[in-house]
Amino acid sequence: MSYERVNYDPTFKPVQGIYENRLRQFINNGGDYKDLNLPKFYDYKRISLDRNHVKVYWYQVPFEKNSSPVSPDKRPPWSEVIGNDKAGKIYWQEASINQPFGPSWSTTWFKVELHIPKDWMLNENDQLVFDWDCSNEGVVIDPNTLNPKTAFSGGDRTEYLLPKADDGKYFFYVETGNNGMFGCGEGSDINPPNDNRYFHLKKADIVLPDWEARALYIDFWMVSDAARELPGDSWQKHQARTICNKVMDIFDPKDRSSVKRCRNLLKNEYFDKYVDSADVYRHGNEDILTDVYGMGNCHIDTAWLWPFAETRRKIVRSWSSQCTLMEEYPEYQFVASQAQQFKWLLEDHPRFFKECLIPKFQQNQFFPIGGSWVENDTNMPGSEALARQFFFGQRFFLKHFGSKSTVFWLPDTFGYSSQVPQLCQLSGIDKFLTQKLSWNNINSFPHSTFNWAGLDGTQLLTHMPPGNTYTADSHFGDVLRTAKQNKTSEYYGSGLMLYGKGDGGGGPTREMLEKMRRIRSMSNRNGNVVPKLEVGKTIEEFYDDILARTDNGKDLPTWSGELYFEFHRGTYTSQANTKRLMRFSEIKIHDLEWIATKTSMLFPDQYIYPAKEINDLWENILLCQFHDVLPGSCIEIVYKHEALPMLQAVIEKCADLIIEALKVLKNNSKSQNIKPIKTLVWSDSDSAFVSSVEESAVKVTEASEYITLSNEKLKVMISKQSGSITSIIDLDTEVEYLDLKNGRNKHGANQFVIFDDKPLSWQAWDTELYSVNQYTYLNKAETVVISENSKDKASVKVIIPVEEGCKIITTISLSATLNSNKDDSFIDIHTHVDNWNARNKFLKVEFPVKVRSDFASYETQFGITRRPTHYNTSWDVAKFEVCSHKFADYSEYNKGVSIFNDSKFGFSTHGNLMRLSILRSPKAPDAHADMGSHDIRYAIYPHAGALSSTTVRLAHEFNYIHRYEVPATIYDSFDQVIKITGDSNVVLSNIKRGEDDVDINSNYAIGQHEKRSMIVRVYESLGGDSSVVLKTSLPIKKVVKVDNLENEIEVVTFTSNSKTSTAEIPINLNAFEVASYKLCV
Ligand SMILES: [Zn+2]
């Protein structure tokens, strides 16, 4: 080489912007130069539907006129349709391009016959493709095995790689559901669906692709992305641009062989030699740490813009595609959550489950993950339900895969209760994944990798993918963002990239896997300006890497308490009926387990605990706690045709099963005398209902402006003008609990307010900060009258007009008190909202109280969460609406006020104002959400001193109102099956039978088998070390403390008192500890 002395050919420095912009031309499938660029060569051959080589026949599955969108006739089993076809019972018609299929939610089947033309002269290695786009969701079914092969949804998922066929002939079915990946929304996906939508057949082609040209497309795409997205000071960026320009220079649209030359150039100058295989991940500099771990997933919302019925089909479409992809890409790994989805798959497609999915699980490519029944909401499920999410999820995984998940997988749920870490750890889970907090609309969550410590201090190793999505497309930019946006890099710099089409299912595509090989190859070749991407490491290995590099997590920052989601605050209130039935279902199944457990322990020869029935009921409750169903963000179909009937049926079935158990008790008594029982026991009070009032009556007096209710403890004044409560006085101390002098509410308590509720977007999900200051008080009552005036109870009925046709009828009652427990006295309110017909309004009810404290307490699962009542920082401001269970309490040192409710979850406390959220009226995605009439019960409980166990007990009793009767002769033995004494802040919340007991024959049994046992769940409710003694009359032989899966933690010593024939089990609990004991007889 020699340097020329004279320059005859001057060269210019390329102008970066122009040379970068030029790159878009090369792979642009539209535009002016498509034929002059690479798209010209993507296919060697292509034949569209021609009735000669490509024949497509269609069959619209008939359904009853007006049958519901979830009716079984809309989605018959595959075996039925194919069986009918084989029997010649189906009339198929020839399909044509642009033909419409529908309507929404119906099913169309296609029969596809392909004859590859002889003149295609295929080589042995030629891979043919069937290219199909009907813009709805479809799945290819092998007519011989009935196993699914791959799925279509238009867009990025249109290709089926045809298996080899020596005779060039193909025949298969395509089942299509007439909905898009995101349902049938009109205008926008999250608008209410159009039930009369049709989907057009756009493409049915056989293709012999030029795989070399298609590979160059991915090569060029990734390197040109590097040219665009790498930092400006890196030589890698400039070289990527230069090489891509060279590729365009040597490409010749008249010469297909130039494609190979282009590829070689990229391989020689920017990729390593392993770019086309999984080997690429085994090369590169081993000393460089991995920046990004790629993990395939497809988030399938168990219901959202489509019903549960359609989800069952999304599962098989999504997962079969992934199993097929795994054949082609050995490095490919995929995680799938939600035991419910596996259960549906097992029911609908057992052969696919066994023959395709299980082998991929065994080959370490398909991983069940999550450990919960569904990806549930964590704010609103009750205590026991949240525990059972893990109980059923993990037991299902153990039963069908032989292992449980150690990662709680919840990428999309709307906030995370502070009780999650403890329940996870009690269920064999010590790791957590989410990313939803990246949607916060006020504060940016500060960590990517951290320890999340819950209510009792239990922690989970937590990772939030720094790319802020669980549906990455594996673009170069996705990998780059995952590497660059990591907020905890000083401790741990690697991050997970969750790739794959999601929300409506789908999952990764071939293209994504190809792109990732290119990205890894670039970093092997060009050093770590291109992030080092790893594919083929499990989620477990990723979390192990965190532990290995952070001194077992000790180096990581800690976040204590709930992971409050600063968004979607309307979901505590939307879809009131579903939330109400959910609370009622949880209580009813608690009662069923309470009565059935006791009955089966007392009369084992006469009564078999209905384990299978109870488990079925739990599955339905847990299903409806999916993170769009219970929060209220689904389309109307889901509530009207699925969730509400399902929960209603749960309540009815529980009632039937309770009657059966009570019958057994009745049969064991000759006496006709009966006695009511409660289904909760307390250490500080009797468990019997008090049926008569021996003490002073309640009084009601009416003056010109007020009606006054009073009992031994409280005097309550109600304005005859506004109907609201203007004074609540403790007659013992003469303390006034309301504050009408200060703050914005000067009207009174039980004061209804209508807020404007027009969020920026996401109507069913969101209520926004500005709504808080746009409100109208409903302070002109139409009627205020005494509606009940008996010795036991006095009530005032108030009627308040809202808008045209809508009224609120609210009844304020005070009951007589026993002298012995007059401190339990509270004001009971029943509100009927008649014909709620608002548009984008939010109805709340306010209680201005004479309390001042920086914090209010809200009941959460097995405990309380304290939240600010001020707006000091933006983090405090963000909590302008929060989630509460059965009570919210606002207390200062000397006194406080608790508000109980029977079915509500939205609450706020600021300044001197407590506010219960009652009804919203979003118009999307359900146009009729919450329209109609509603009943709500709540209560005002003024109390001396700070928040105490009395609030906890009264709020429980306010909800557990069902009365059951047992024969008087059996009452004592029934009562003594389980009792509790000691610290009153410890709650005995649930009893159930041991799942692995021999006599109950549970469908979830897996462990060691006891003859008969009873699980007793207790928890410390207010935050303090406590001691109690459990007492039982059962002849117990052994007591063990168990975890939430009912595995033994330790043996517990107990004493037997032969005189009273009871056993006593002393227990110590840490603050907010949830503990379970198995009492074995
Ligand atoms: Zn989701």
Side-chain angles (χ1 to χ4, degrees):
M1 257 214 265
S2 62
Y3 186 67
E4 284 183 28
R5 203 166 69 88
V6 180
N7 188 325
Y8 296 100
D9 189 13
T11 308
F12 56 86
K13 179 179 160 68
V15 178
Q16 285 185 22
I18 294 171
Y19 276 69
E20 191 178 298
N21 284 337
R22 176 199 185 198
L23 304 184
R24 297 194 186 277
Q25 289 182 359
F26 190 57
I27 53 176
N28 186 357
N29 232 333
D32 296 334
Y33 311 120
K34 182 183 166 186
D35 291 355
L36 302 176
N37 276 301
L38 186 60
K40 186 182 178 191
F41 291 137
Y42 288 162
D43 302 335
Y44 279 117
K45 313 259 185 199
R46 179 181 285 265
I47 299 176
S48 298
L49 190 132
D50 66 350
R51 300 184 183 180
N52 205 2
H53 300 98
V54 183
K55 291 188 207 171
V56 177
Y57 303 91
W58 66 280
Y59 161 67
Q60 174 65 34
V61 174
F63 53 87
E64 289 273 320
K65 200 167 175 259
N66 298 327
S67 76
S68 93
V70 301
S71 161
D73 63 2
K74 293 250 166 59
R75 298 173 184 82
W78 295 355
S79 55
E80 186 182 310
V81 175
I82 292 173
N84 283 342
D85 184 33
K86 287 189 174 149
K89 289 187 197 158
I90 289 182
Y91 173 63
W92 297 90
Q93 302 180 66
E94 271 196 60
S96 53
I97 292 296
N98 285 327
Q99 187 177 344
F101 297 97
S104 312
W105 315 120
S106 69
T107 297
T108 309
W109 277 71
F110 295 92
K111 208 149 80 158
V112 179
E113 287 175 24
L114 306 176
H115 296 262
I116 309 304
K118 290 254 160 29
D119 63 3
W120 280 23
M121 295 196 298
L122 299 180
N123 290 319
E124 204 183 317
N125 293 327
D126 283 335
Q127 172 65 62
L128 294 169
V129 163
F130 176 60
D131 194 2
W132 169 270
D133 188 350
C134 193
S135 62
N136 54 8
E137 285 197 86
V139 61
V140 173
I141 301 161
D142 181 323
N144 299 316
T145 62
L146 261 59
N147 274 335
K149 290 292 168 192
T150 198
F152 303 120
S153 59
D156 293 339
R157 297 203 308 158
T158 62
E159 293 191 335
Y160 169 40
L161 267 57
L162 293 166
K164 298 277 176 284
D166 292 339
D167 60 355
K169 288 184 184 164
Y170 294 91
F171 163 61
F172 50 87
Y173 295 98
V174 180
E175 182 214 39
T176 65
N178 287 309
N179 54 267
M181 284 290 267
F182 295 96
C184 299
E186 183 77 358
S188 148
D189 287 337
I190 60 166
N191 281 348
N194 171 355
D195 288 337
N196 203 29
R197 203 166 134 182
Y198 282 75
F199 296 83
H200 295 257
L201 179 60
K202 294 180 192 157
K203 220 169 25 172
D205 301 352
I206 38 172
V207 189
L208 174 59
D210 180 343
W211 291 104
E212 189 83 29
R214 290 181 178 215
L216 177 58
Y217 159 67
I218 309 270
D219 293 343
F220 190 89
W221 182 6
M222 290 302 101
V223 182
S224 60
D225 271 359
R228 280 183 285 269
E229 301 194 36
L230 283 176
D233 56 359
S234 63
W235 60 263
Q236 288 91 338
K237 176 191 181 79
H238 302 291
Q239 202 170 71
R241 188 180 63 248
T242 305
I243 293 165
C244 284
N245 274 281
K246 274 195 207 165
V247 165
M248 289 181 75
D249 292 345
I250 64 172
F251 175 78
D252 180 355
K254 294 202 194 76
D255 177 10
R256 194 179 279 271
S257 69
S258 68
V259 167
K260 181 130 199 122
R261 290 197 293 282
C262 293
R263 281 214 83 196
N264 285 340
L265 177 73
L266 286 165
K267 274 190 194 169
N268 290 336
E269 303 210 4
Y270 213 78
F271 293 121
D272 71 350
K273 60 182 172 185
Y274 305 104
V275 64
D276 287 330
S277 76
D279 288 344
V280 74
Y281 297 108
R282 289 197 283 274
H283 291 86
N285 187 343
E286 273 182 28
D287 295 335
I288 293 176
L289 294 172
T290 297
D291 293 292
V292 178
Y293 289 84
M295 179 52 70
N297 82 121
C298 73
H299 185 71
I300 307 178
D301 283 321
T302 299
W304 181 30
L305 304 172
W306 52 88
F308 294 139
E310 194 56 37
T311 303
R312 297 179 83 117
R313 306 206 291 187
K314 283 176 173 286
I315 295 161
V316 69
R317 289 178 200 131
S318 302
W319 294 359
S320 64
S321 304
Q322 302 318 313
C323 288
T324 301
L325 210 52
M326 284 166 198
E327 304 279 343
E328 214 184 328
Y329 295 91
E331 74 272 32
Y332 176 39
Q333 292 184 331
F334 174 80
V335 293
S337 63
Q338 317 198 60
Q340 172 71 80
Q341 297 194 357
F342 285 92
K343 187 182 177 207
W344 280 338
L345 186 72
L346 195 53
E347 283 172 0
D348 297 349
H349 303 286
R351 189 167 171 183
F352 168 73
F353 194 99
K354 263 192 230 107
E355 291 178 3
C356 304
L357 195 148
I358 291 290
K360 295 298 172 214
F361 165 71
Q362 288 163 342
Q363 290 155 22
N364 275 343
Q365 287 192 279
F366 196 117
F367 293 93
I369 199 167
S372 54
W373 186 250
V374 291
E375 283 188 21
N376 54 291
D377 181 75
T378 77
N379 285 315
M380 290 170 280
S383 310
E384 190 64 19
L386 192 59
R388 299 293 174 98
Q389 283 287 349
F390 300 109
F391 176 82
F392 285 101
Q394 292 287 47
R395 277 189 175 244
F396 185 93
F397 284 171
L398 279 164
K399 219 175 150 88
H400 295 280
F401 297 97
S403 57
K404 51 186 191 255
S405 176
T406 61
V407 184
F408 186 26
W409 186 266
L410 214 55
D412 191 31
T413 291
F414 315 150
Y416 310 93
S417 139
S418 56
Q419 191 52 263
V420 167
Q422 182 174 203
L423 292 179
C424 279
Q425 286 277 9
L426 284 170
S427 309
I429 293 170
D430 57 3
K431 303 169 190 99
F432 180 53
L433 180 134
T434 181
Q435 68 76 47
K436 199 70 184 178
L437 295 193
S438 68
W439 286 42
N440 275 4
N441 72 348
I442 296 184
N443 298 284
S444 168
F445 191 80
H447 312 307
S448 295
T449 310
F450 61 102
N451 299 308
W452 175 27
L455 194 53
D456 70 324
T458 305
Q459 65 177 359
L460 295 176
L461 180 63
T462 303
H463 182 68
M464 298 202 197
N468 294 342
T469 181
Y470 49 83
T471 57
D473 282 320
S474 297
H475 289 321
F476 187 84
D478 289 318
V479 175
L480 205 61
R481 272 191 295 281
T482 301
K484 293 212 176 281
Q485 292 177 180
N486 195 315
K487 292 172 178 167
T488 333
S489 293
E490 61 268 62
Y491 309 103
Y492 183 75
S494 308
L496 267 180
M497 177 182 73
L498 304 179
Y499 65 92
K501 299 279 169 204
D503 290 330
T509 59
R510 295 184 74 252
E511 201 173 84
M512 294 178 196
L513 286 148
E514 290 289 337
K515 285 193 282 188
M516 289 190 293
R517 285 181 176 180
R518 304 306 192 282
I519 294 166
R520 174 57 184 257
S521 181
M522 283 194 258
S523 90
N524 286 351
R525 174 70 187 268
N526 298 303
N528 62 352
V529 169
V530 178
K532 183 172 177 181
L533 168 67
E534 189 69 65
V535 173
K537 288 271 191 289
T538 64
I539 289 287
E540 289 286 335
E541 286 171 311
F542 168 71
Y543 278 95
D544 287 346
D545 186 55
I546 300 176
L547 292 178
R549 286 163 51 193
T550 60
D551 190 14
N552 281 316
K554 292 193 190 83
D555 296 342
L556 294 172
T558 301
W559 183 273
S560 279
E562 70 177 324
L563 291 170
Y564 177 85
F565 183 38
E566 298 179 353
F567 212 37
H568 295 2
R569 301 162 183 92
T571 60
Y572 313 142
T573 306
S574 298
Q575 298 290 355
N577 286 336
T578 300
K579 289 175 164 71
R580 183 167 190 256
L581 288 187
M582 180 56 76
R583 179 84 64 84
F584 291 3
S585 299
E586 289 180 353
I587 286 167
K588 204 69 191 176
I589 200 165
H590 163 278
D591 290 356
L592 167 60
E593 289 185 330
W594 187 271
I595 292 165
T597 298
K598 287 189 174 193
T599 307
S600 69
M601 294 305 277
L602 287 173
F603 301 101
D605 299 335
Q606 297 166 42
Y607 179 71
I608 295 169
Y609 187 78
K612 167 81 172 62
E613 287 94 331
I614 289 175
N615 291 344
D616 287 351
L617 294 168
W618 267 119
E619 285 180 12
N620 285 349
I621 291 173
L622 301 179
L623 169 59
C624 292
Q625 294 179 346
F626 177 74
H627 67 255
D628 284 303
V629 179
L630 183 58
S633 44
C634 285
I635 54 172
E636 184 177 14
I637 292 170
V638 176
Y639 299 105
K640 189 170 161 189
H641 298 295
E642 295 185 320
L644 290 172
M646 198 178 270
L647 292 172
Q648 194 64 53
V650 164
I651 293 167
E652 283 160 20
K653 179 76 181 173
C654 283
D656 290 348
L657 290 169
I658 288 171
I659 289 170
E660 278 176 32
L662 293 175
K663 251 187 224 158
V664 174
L665 298 178
K666 218 170 273 171
N667 292 343
N668 278 280
S669 171
K670 291 191 182 93
S671 152
Q672 292 300 307
N673 291 338
I674 47 158
K675 216 171 156 183
I677 53 153
K678 282 183 179 178
T679 53
L680 288 169
V681 290
W682 301 95
S683 63
D684 59 353
S685 83
D686 198 301
S687 63
F689 271 104
V690 179
S691 46
S692 71
V693 181
E694 47 81 347
E695 57 332 291
S696 65
V698 64
K699 279 181 283 204
V700 53
T701 55
E702 186 166 359
S704 59
E705 289 183 24
Y706 297 96
I707 298 174
T708 305
L709 308 176
S710 57
N711 62 17
E712 284 292 288
K713 179 70 178 172
L714 298 174
K715 186 174 104 179
V716 180
M717 293 173 77
I718 297 152
S719 158
K720 285 169 78 175
Q721 202 198 350
S722 68
S724 50
I725 302 169
T726 54
S727 169
I728 301 173
I729 290 175
D730 181 322
L731 292 169
D732 288 340
T733 59
E734 295 187 354
V735 166
E736 169 65 71
Y737 280 88
L738 297 186
D739 179 8
L740 272 54
K741 291 197 192 83
N742 306 295
R744 74 194 207 181
N745 177 339
K746 299 197 169 60
H747 307 288
N750 199 36
Q751 173 62 56
F752 297 91
V753 204
I754 297 251
F755 291 77
D756 215 64
D757 195 20
K758 303 193 292 285
L760 298 170
S761 56
W762 303 100
Q763 288 193 36
W765 291 259
D766 286 340
T767 184
E768 250 331 319
L769 196 51
Y770 47 75
S771 301
V772 175
N773 290 326
Q774 196 179 2
Y775 57 92
T776 310
Y777 280 115
L778 302 174
N779 58 353
K780 288 195 180 55
E782 190 178 282
T783 311
V784 181
V785 292
I786 297 165
S787 58
E788 183 170 353
N789 185 4
S790 71
K791 200 159 110 359
D792 296 347
K793 191 175 169 191
S795 305
V796 172
K797 182 162 102 175
V798 177
I799 300 176
I800 302 158
V802 182
E803 285 184 30
E804 196 82 12
C806 175
K807 276 179 187 180
I808 292 171
I809 300 129
T810 184
T811 307
I812 303 161
S813 304
L814 193 66
S815 295
T817 61
L818 285 167
N819 277 324
S820 55
N821 61 359
K822 69 180 190 176
D823 287 346
D824 289 0
S825 189
F826 57 78
I827 301 145
D828 195 344
I829 300 169
H830 174 260
T831 291
H832 175 79
V833 182
D834 194 54
N835 189 31
W836 175 245
N837 57 7
R839 174 167 173 232
N840 297 106
K841 299 285 181 193
F842 197 157
L843 177 67
K844 303 183 188 184
V845 60
E846 289 187 349
F847 311 91
V849 294
K850 204 162 183 301
V851 175
R852 187 173 183 88
S853 170
D854 283 347
F855 293 92
S857 304
Y858 302 88
E859 193 194 26
T860 184
Q861 297 92 359
F862 301 116
I864 52 166
T865 299
R866 275 155 42 92
R867 302 188 181 99
T869 60
H870 53 75
Y871 298 125
N872 283 2
T873 70
S874 57
W875 293 86
D876 302 323
V877 172
K879 294 179 182 169
F880 65 88
E881 174 88 7
V882 298
C883 184
S884 176
H885 285 209
K886 298 185 290 294
F887 69 83
D889 181 85
Y890 192 25
S891 292
E892 51 190 33
Y893 178 71
N894 280 327
K895 66 173 185 307
V897 174
S898 303
I899 305 293
F900 311 144
N901 77 82
D902 77 335
S903 57
K904 293 290 156 192
F905 297 92
F907 210 95
S908 67
T909 309
H910 289 97
N912 70 348
L913 206 50
M914 301 179 81
R915 199 187 273 137
L916 176 68
S917 299
I918 293 194
L919 287 171
R920 298 187 67 225
S921 46
K923 300 300 169 197
D926 173 1
H928 307 111
D930 289 329
M931 297 298 96
S933 297
H934 299 266
D935 288 278
I936 311 114
R937 286 172 55 242
Y938 47 92
I940 308 169
Y941 172 56
H943 56 81
L947 168 63
S948 77
S949 59
T950 312
T951 287
V952 177
R953 172 171 55 80
L954 291 176
H956 271 83
E957 289 178 342
F958 189 76
N959 277 268
Y960 290 75
I961 51 169
H962 301 293
R963 284 165 183 257
Y964 308 100
E965 287 164 341
V966 301
T969 51
I970 285 179
Y971 180 89
D972 282 343
S973 57
F974 194 80
D975 187 46
Q976 283 157 16
V977 170
I978 189 72
K979 302 207 68 149
I980 183 170
T981 59
D983 290 336
S984 60
N985 48 325
V986 175
V987 179
L988 195 166
S989 64
N990 293 77
I991 62 173
K992 70 185 281 289
R993 288 294 307 276
E995 203 65 36
D996 302 315
D997 287 357
V998 173
D999 69 329
I1000 70 166
N1001 198 19
S1002 160
N1003 51 332
Y1004 279 92
I1006 40 168
Q1008 296 165 328
H1009 296 268
E1010 298 292 341
K1011 204 163 133 243
R1012 278 188 297 132
S1013 70
M1014 175 169 77
I1015 305 290
V1016 181
R1017 187 117 56 229
V1018 295
Y1019 71 97
E1020 195 289 306
S1021 62
L1022 293 169
D1025 275 0
S1026 302
S1027 302
V1028 287
V1029 177
L1030 295 178
K1031 294 184 180 175
T1032 178
S1033 58
L1034 297 173
I1036 55 172
K1037 298 195 175 68
K1038 187 173 75 170
V1039 177
V1040 288
K1041 190 174 188 181
V1042 294
D1043 66 15
N1044 187 43
L1045 307 183
E1046 298 179 15
N1047 294 315
E1048 179 174 329
I1049 298 173
E1050 62 189 15
V1051 174
V1052 177
T1053 52
F1054 64 96
T1055 56
S1056 294
N1057 185 331
S1058 52
K1059 255 191 232 154
T1060 58
S1061 42
T1062 55
E1064 300 197 348
I1065 308 153
I1067 290 169
N1068 293 308
L1069 294 179
N1070 297 324
F1072 293 120
E1073 182 178 351
V1074 181
S1076 307
Y1077 298 88
K1078 181 148 100 170
L1079 281 51
C1080 310
V1081 303

